[in-house]
Amino acid sequence: MASQHPIAAASAKFPKPADRTFQYGTAGFRMKAAILDSVVYRAGLLAALRSRKLNGQIIGVMITASHNPPDDNGVKLVDPMGEMLEGTWEAYATILANAPSDQALVEAYDKFTLDMKIDSAIKPRVIFARDTRASGPRLVTALVAALEASGTEYTDYKLLTTPQLHYITRCLNTKGTTYEYGEPNEQGYYEKLSAAFRAAMGTKKFNGSVTVDCANGVGGPKLRELIKYLPSPTEGGLEIKVVNDDVVEPERLNHQISYQCGADFVKTNQRAPPSSHSTPLARCASLDGDADRIMYYFVDSDNSFHLLDGDRIATLAALYIGDLARNAGLGEKLKVGVVQTAYANGASTAYITQDLKLPVVCTPTGVKHLHHAATKFDVGVYFEANGHGTVLFSDVALKRINKYEPQSPAQSSALDVLRALTALINQTVGDALSDLLLVEIILAHKSWGPKEWDLTYTDLPNRLGRIEVADRNIFKTTDAERKLESPPGVQVQIDALVGKYKNGRSFARASGTEDAVRVYAEAATKGEADELAAKVADVVK
Ligand code: NG1
Ligand code: ZN
């Protein structure tokens, strides 16, 4: 018998569950960790192919299930500039993951090599990291087996936040070029952020502290590490109180019931995690399990809870960066734009267009869509309402900012802060730690507490519902997911309902990460938003 292909031989140790079909979705592959080994093995093969196709540039692989429960896990690929895997390759990932046998897997792998004219002589290069989930080390074994079977050179960066892996991937691929992004290691990440933070802070002193709930995930130890590089509160620096940073017991991660922590807990329950001990008007924030999302919140003097979500961070960043650009004398030369999804609160969209007078683009859900749209602006601010986002500066914008000669001391100081922000803000992907520092810098410069931030506009009451349906695949949308074109006739009924409510807006779409349809509704009062959501849900069922 001929000796077995190394890829088939290694694959035999990570057999595909026969009854499962996998799909590389908006967040890569994500599911119960127990059935993920074959998927991770095959994702490793795809990373090798992708690196070869890109002439040996380094591809990142992150093992995480973000805000999901502790016994889930997932895997996603990072492209050379630290961006998410290019869309067309998601289909290849899905094909490899579903190959029914080890032999079929080798055939698919060989076919991709042939069809895409991939040069097998090129040595693939891959780096990877994982979050704190207990299943992480086991899944790393599957990944390493794929990298070895495909002759890939690899480095294990162990525990990192998702944005840190994106950062290091970009650093490695730009090293020695004019686009060098930073030192390609964890320390380089902290040094870059802290240098930019100090420069943006200037002589400003911080007022009060911020309490950060780290969801008992990887963000906890990484935030503690970052703090060591930042100016201390005694130097006028920011006091960061870290809570929920227990990664010794992985079952505490994102725990909504006993340990009540994480960005999703805050959003779903509309209240602060008890461990944040939030006092009136104190700034609080929550991260998700891999620290790429952040939610701010505070309790008012009357003990009412106020959420400052991704829409709020986007509007704050757009307001401040727009002001800085004008004050630096670059107002006409830097076009700031904001990218949102249909889930953005209508009041935030109105505030951006009517008050800030900035353009807004709406894209389908999933940060890859927002990121892509944001690259079309000189300065593209993008956030999902759930707190995942960043601000992108185009190459042209960076050149203008870096070359501009200020005409006055006022221009000079605005320009200093603007330059610092281009380094402080993670250019690869939404990053909770970088976003935290950004928000704190802006609030400090504006001398704002959370209340002043909250007063910029009033959110329209809204309701997000999750409906289980027989087959979510029949729900097809158009107009950035704001309209249903299938099943036929449903949109007409939704439109008729919306028309009956003051400030009414509602849409339904199939979730990309759960087997359900999501219904979102807004209206002038909370009761009406709930009622509209319930009526639209009845139409969808
Ligand atoms: P789906 O399940 O497609 O709605 C959810 C979030 C997205 C995004 C992805 C990836 C909502 C309404 N949807 O997508 O914003 O974060 O997960 O994690 O929050
Ligand atoms: Zn996440």
Side-chain angles (χ1 to χ4, degrees), residues 4-17 37-39 41-42 45 95-110 149:
Q4 215 186 2
H5 193 294
I7 287 178
S11 171
K13 293 184 207 136
F14 310 101
K16 175 186 175 290
D37 301 64
S38 68
V39 174
Y41 177 79
R42 291 152 186 237
L45 297 181
I95 291 169
L96 287 189
N98 293 307
S101 65
D102 303 334
Q103 196 46 43
L105 175 64
V106 174
E107 282 162 21
Y109 181 87
D110 287 346

Short mmCIF file of all heavy atoms in Angstrom, two decimals, residues 4-17 37-39 41-42 45 95-110 149:
data_model
loop_
_atom_site.label_atom_id
_atom_site.label_comp_id
_atom_site.label_asym_id
_atom_site.label_seq_id
_atom_site.Cartn_x
_atom_site.Cartn_y
_atom_site.Cartn_z
N GLN A 4 0.66 6.96 3.13
CA GLN A 4 -0.42 7.94 3.14
C GLN A 4 0.14 9.36 3.06
O GLN A 4 1.21 9.64 3.58
CB GLN A 4 -1.20 7.76 4.44
CG GLN A 4 -2.67 8.01 4.29
CD GLN A 4 -3.36 7.95 5.65
OE1 GLN A 4 -2.72 7.76 6.69
NE2 GLN A 4 -4.65 8.14 5.64
N HIS A 5 -0.60 10.23 2.40
CA HIS A 5 -0.27 11.66 2.33
C HIS A 5 -0.19 12.19 3.77
O HIS A 5 -1.06 11.87 4.59
CB HIS A 5 -1.39 12.35 1.55
CG HIS A 5 -1.05 13.74 1.13
ND1 HIS A 5 -0.86 14.76 2.03
CD2 HIS A 5 -0.87 14.28 -0.10
CE1 HIS A 5 -0.60 15.88 1.38
NE2 HIS A 5 -0.58 15.60 0.07
N PRO A 6 0.86 13.00 4.09
CA PRO A 6 0.96 13.48 5.49
C PRO A 6 -0.28 14.23 5.97
O PRO A 6 -0.64 14.17 7.15
CB PRO A 6 2.19 14.39 5.47
CG PRO A 6 2.62 14.53 4.05
CD PRO A 6 1.98 13.44 3.26
N ILE A 7 -0.94 14.94 5.04
CA ILE A 7 -2.14 15.69 5.46
C ILE A 7 -3.28 14.73 5.83
O ILE A 7 -4.00 14.95 6.81
CB ILE A 7 -2.55 16.69 4.35
CG1 ILE A 7 -1.53 17.83 4.36
CG2 ILE A 7 -3.98 17.19 4.54
CD1 ILE A 7 -1.74 18.89 3.32
N ALA A 8 -3.41 13.64 5.07
CA ALA A 8 -4.44 12.65 5.39
C ALA A 8 -4.09 11.92 6.67
O ALA A 8 -4.95 11.68 7.53
CB ALA A 8 -4.59 11.67 4.23
N ALA A 9 -2.80 11.59 6.82
CA ALA A 9 -2.38 10.83 8.00
C ALA A 9 -2.66 11.63 9.28
O ALA A 9 -3.23 11.12 10.24
CB ALA A 9 -0.89 10.50 7.89
N ALA A 10 -2.31 12.92 9.25
CA ALA A 10 -2.54 13.75 10.45
C ALA A 10 -4.04 14.00 10.63
O ALA A 10 -4.54 14.02 11.76
CB ALA A 10 -1.79 15.07 10.32
N SER A 11 -4.75 14.15 9.54
CA SER A 11 -6.19 14.40 9.61
C SER A 11 -6.93 13.26 10.31
O SER A 11 -7.94 13.49 10.99
CB SER A 11 -6.74 14.62 8.20
OG SER A 11 -8.14 14.66 8.21
N ALA A 12 -6.40 12.02 10.14
CA ALA A 12 -7.06 10.85 10.75
C ALA A 12 -7.14 10.98 12.27
O ALA A 12 -8.02 10.40 12.90
CB ALA A 12 -6.29 9.59 10.36
N LYS A 13 -6.26 11.80 12.84
CA LYS A 13 -6.31 11.99 14.31
C LYS A 13 -7.39 12.99 14.71
O LYS A 13 -7.72 13.14 15.89
CB LYS A 13 -4.95 12.51 14.81
CG LYS A 13 -3.85 11.50 14.66
CD LYS A 13 -2.56 12.07 15.27
CE LYS A 13 -1.38 11.44 14.60
NZ LYS A 13 -0.32 12.36 14.24
N PHE A 14 -7.91 13.73 13.73
CA PHE A 14 -8.92 14.75 14.02
C PHE A 14 -10.11 14.55 13.09
O PHE A 14 -10.38 15.36 12.20
CB PHE A 14 -8.34 16.16 13.86
CG PHE A 14 -7.03 16.34 14.59
CD1 PHE A 14 -5.82 16.27 13.91
CD2 PHE A 14 -7.03 16.49 15.97
CE1 PHE A 14 -4.62 16.39 14.59
CE2 PHE A 14 -5.83 16.61 16.67
CZ PHE A 14 -4.62 16.56 15.98
N PRO A 15 -10.81 13.41 13.26
CA PRO A 15 -11.87 13.05 12.30
C PRO A 15 -13.05 14.03 12.33
O PRO A 15 -13.40 14.55 13.39
CB PRO A 15 -12.31 11.66 12.76
CG PRO A 15 -11.86 11.54 14.17
CD PRO A 15 -10.67 12.42 14.34
N LYS A 16 -13.60 14.26 11.17
CA LYS A 16 -14.75 15.16 11.09
C LYS A 16 -16.00 14.43 11.59
O LYS A 16 -16.28 13.32 11.13
CB LYS A 16 -14.97 15.59 9.64
CG LYS A 16 -16.21 16.43 9.47
CD LYS A 16 -16.52 16.74 8.02
CE LYS A 16 -17.85 17.48 7.94
NZ LYS A 16 -19.02 16.65 8.26
N PRO A 17 -16.76 15.05 12.50
CA PRO A 17 -18.03 14.43 12.92
C PRO A 17 -18.92 14.28 11.68
O PRO A 17 -19.15 15.26 10.96
CB PRO A 17 -18.63 15.41 13.92
CG PRO A 17 -17.51 16.33 14.29
CD PRO A 17 -16.55 16.34 13.15
N ASP A 37 -12.27 20.06 16.78
CA ASP A 37 -10.89 19.66 16.44
C ASP A 37 -10.65 19.55 14.93
O ASP A 37 -9.65 20.07 14.42
CB ASP A 37 -10.55 18.33 17.12
CG ASP A 37 -10.67 18.45 18.63
OD1 ASP A 37 -11.80 18.68 19.11
OD2 ASP A 37 -9.65 18.33 19.33
N SER A 38 -11.55 18.88 14.24
CA SER A 38 -11.34 18.71 12.79
C SER A 38 -11.38 20.06 12.09
O SER A 38 -10.64 20.32 11.14
CB SER A 38 -12.38 17.77 12.19
OG SER A 38 -13.66 18.37 12.22
N VAL A 39 -12.24 20.95 12.59
CA VAL A 39 -12.40 22.27 11.98
C VAL A 39 -11.10 23.08 12.14
O VAL A 39 -10.64 23.73 11.19
CB VAL A 39 -13.59 23.02 12.61
CG1 VAL A 39 -13.69 24.44 12.10
CG2 VAL A 39 -14.88 22.27 12.36
N TYR A 41 -8.09 21.85 12.65
CA TYR A 41 -7.06 21.21 11.82
C TYR A 41 -7.17 21.74 10.37
O TYR A 41 -6.18 22.16 9.77
CB TYR A 41 -7.24 19.68 11.85
CG TYR A 41 -6.27 18.96 10.95
CD1 TYR A 41 -4.95 18.74 11.34
CD2 TYR A 41 -6.66 18.54 9.67
CE1 TYR A 41 -4.05 18.12 10.50
CE2 TYR A 41 -5.76 17.92 8.82
CZ TYR A 41 -4.45 17.71 9.24
OH TYR A 41 -3.55 17.10 8.40
N ARG A 42 -8.36 21.76 9.87
CA ARG A 42 -8.56 22.15 8.47
C ARG A 42 -8.36 23.67 8.28
O ARG A 42 -7.88 24.10 7.23
CB ARG A 42 -9.95 21.69 8.02
CG ARG A 42 -10.00 20.15 7.93
CD ARG A 42 -11.38 19.58 8.17
NE ARG A 42 -11.36 18.12 8.22
CZ ARG A 42 -12.08 17.35 7.43
NH1 ARG A 42 -12.90 17.88 6.54
NH2 ARG A 42 -12.02 16.03 7.54
N LEU A 45 -4.80 24.16 7.69
CA LEU A 45 -4.40 23.89 6.28
C LEU A 45 -4.71 25.10 5.41
O LEU A 45 -3.94 25.47 4.52
CB LEU A 45 -5.16 22.67 5.74
CG LEU A 45 -4.89 21.32 6.42
CD1 LEU A 45 -5.70 20.23 5.74
CD2 LEU A 45 -3.40 20.96 6.39
N ILE A 95 -15.43 24.71 2.56
CA ILE A 95 -15.26 23.47 1.78
C ILE A 95 -14.30 22.52 2.50
O ILE A 95 -14.59 21.33 2.67
CB ILE A 95 -14.78 23.79 0.34
CG1 ILE A 95 -15.90 24.48 -0.43
CG2 ILE A 95 -14.33 22.51 -0.39
CD1 ILE A 95 -15.49 25.07 -1.77
N LEU A 96 -13.17 23.03 2.94
CA LEU A 96 -12.20 22.16 3.65
C LEU A 96 -12.83 21.58 4.91
O LEU A 96 -12.69 20.39 5.20
CB LEU A 96 -10.93 22.93 4.03
CG LEU A 96 -9.94 23.30 2.92
CD1 LEU A 96 -8.65 23.86 3.54
CD2 LEU A 96 -9.60 22.13 2.02
N ALA A 97 -13.55 22.43 5.67
CA ALA A 97 -14.12 21.96 6.93
C ALA A 97 -15.14 20.84 6.73
O ALA A 97 -15.34 20.01 7.61
CB ALA A 97 -14.77 23.13 7.66
N ASN A 98 -15.78 20.84 5.56
CA ASN A 98 -16.84 19.84 5.32
C ASN A 98 -16.40 18.66 4.47
O ASN A 98 -17.23 17.78 4.16
CB ASN A 98 -18.05 20.52 4.69
CG ASN A 98 -18.70 21.48 5.69
OD1 ASN A 98 -19.02 21.08 6.80
ND2 ASN A 98 -18.84 22.73 5.31
N ALA A 99 -15.14 18.58 4.07
CA ALA A 99 -14.68 17.41 3.28
C ALA A 99 -15.01 16.15 4.08
O ALA A 99 -14.65 16.04 5.26
CB ALA A 99 -13.19 17.53 3.02
N PRO A 100 -15.73 15.19 3.46
CA PRO A 100 -16.28 14.08 4.25
C PRO A 100 -15.25 13.06 4.75
O PRO A 100 -15.56 12.29 5.65
CB PRO A 100 -17.28 13.42 3.29
CG PRO A 100 -16.88 13.87 1.94
CD PRO A 100 -16.20 15.19 2.08
N SER A 101 -14.05 13.04 4.18
CA SER A 101 -13.07 12.04 4.63
C SER A 101 -11.67 12.65 4.55
O SER A 101 -11.48 13.71 3.94
CB SER A 101 -13.11 10.81 3.71
OG SER A 101 -12.69 11.18 2.41
N ASP A 102 -10.68 11.96 5.12
CA ASP A 102 -9.30 12.46 5.08
C ASP A 102 -8.84 12.56 3.63
O ASP A 102 -8.15 13.51 3.24
CB ASP A 102 -8.36 11.52 5.85
CG ASP A 102 -8.82 11.34 7.30
OD1 ASP A 102 -9.49 12.26 7.81
OD2 ASP A 102 -8.53 10.28 7.88
N GLN A 103 -9.23 11.55 2.83
CA GLN A 103 -8.84 11.53 1.42
C GLN A 103 -9.49 12.70 0.66
O GLN A 103 -8.85 13.39 -0.13
CB GLN A 103 -9.21 10.18 0.78
CG GLN A 103 -8.52 9.89 -0.54
CD GLN A 103 -7.01 10.20 -0.52
OE1 GLN A 103 -6.31 9.88 0.46
NE2 GLN A 103 -6.52 10.88 -1.55
N ALA A 104 -10.77 12.92 0.94
CA ALA A 104 -11.49 14.02 0.27
C ALA A 104 -10.85 15.36 0.65
O ALA A 104 -10.80 16.30 -0.15
CB ALA A 104 -12.96 14.00 0.67
N LEU A 105 -10.36 15.44 1.88
CA LEU A 105 -9.71 16.67 2.34
C LEU A 105 -8.43 16.93 1.53
O LEU A 105 -8.20 18.06 1.07
CB LEU A 105 -9.38 16.54 3.84
CG LEU A 105 -8.60 17.69 4.46
CD1 LEU A 105 -9.41 18.99 4.43
CD2 LEU A 105 -8.22 17.38 5.92
N VAL A 106 -7.63 15.87 1.35
CA VAL A 106 -6.39 16.03 0.57
C VAL A 106 -6.74 16.45 -0.87
O VAL A 106 -6.09 17.34 -1.45
CB VAL A 106 -5.57 14.72 0.57
CG1 VAL A 106 -4.37 14.83 -0.36
CG2 VAL A 106 -5.11 14.38 1.97
N GLU A 107 -7.79 15.85 -1.40
CA GLU A 107 -8.19 16.20 -2.77
C GLU A 107 -8.60 17.67 -2.87
O GLU A 107 -8.23 18.37 -3.82
CB GLU A 107 -9.32 15.29 -3.25
CG GLU A 107 -8.80 13.91 -3.66
CD GLU A 107 -9.90 12.85 -3.72
OE1 GLU A 107 -11.09 13.21 -3.83
OE2 GLU A 107 -9.54 11.65 -3.62
N ALA A 108 -9.35 18.14 -1.88
CA ALA A 108 -9.78 19.55 -1.90
C ALA A 108 -8.57 20.48 -1.77
O ALA A 108 -8.46 21.49 -2.46
CB ALA A 108 -10.77 19.81 -0.76
N TYR A 109 -7.66 20.09 -0.89
CA TYR A 109 -6.43 20.87 -0.67
C TYR A 109 -5.61 20.94 -1.96
O TYR A 109 -5.16 22.02 -2.37
CB TYR A 109 -5.64 20.17 0.46
CG TYR A 109 -4.35 20.82 0.89
CD1 TYR A 109 -4.32 21.81 1.85
CD2 TYR A 109 -3.12 20.39 0.36
CE1 TYR A 109 -3.12 22.39 2.27
CE2 TYR A 109 -1.92 20.96 0.77
CZ TYR A 109 -1.92 21.96 1.73
OH TYR A 109 -0.73 22.51 2.14
N ASP A 110 -5.45 19.79 -2.62
CA ASP A 110 -4.69 19.76 -3.88
C ASP A 110 -5.41 20.55 -4.97
O ASP A 110 -4.78 21.22 -5.79
CB ASP A 110 -4.48 18.31 -4.33
CG ASP A 110 -3.44 17.59 -3.46
OD1 ASP A 110 -2.72 18.30 -2.71
OD2 ASP A 110 -3.37 16.35 -3.51
N ALA A 149 1.96 19.18 9.00
CA ALA A 149 1.65 18.33 7.82
C ALA A 149 1.78 19.13 6.52
O ALA A 149 2.08 18.56 5.47
CB ALA A 149 0.24 17.76 7.96
#
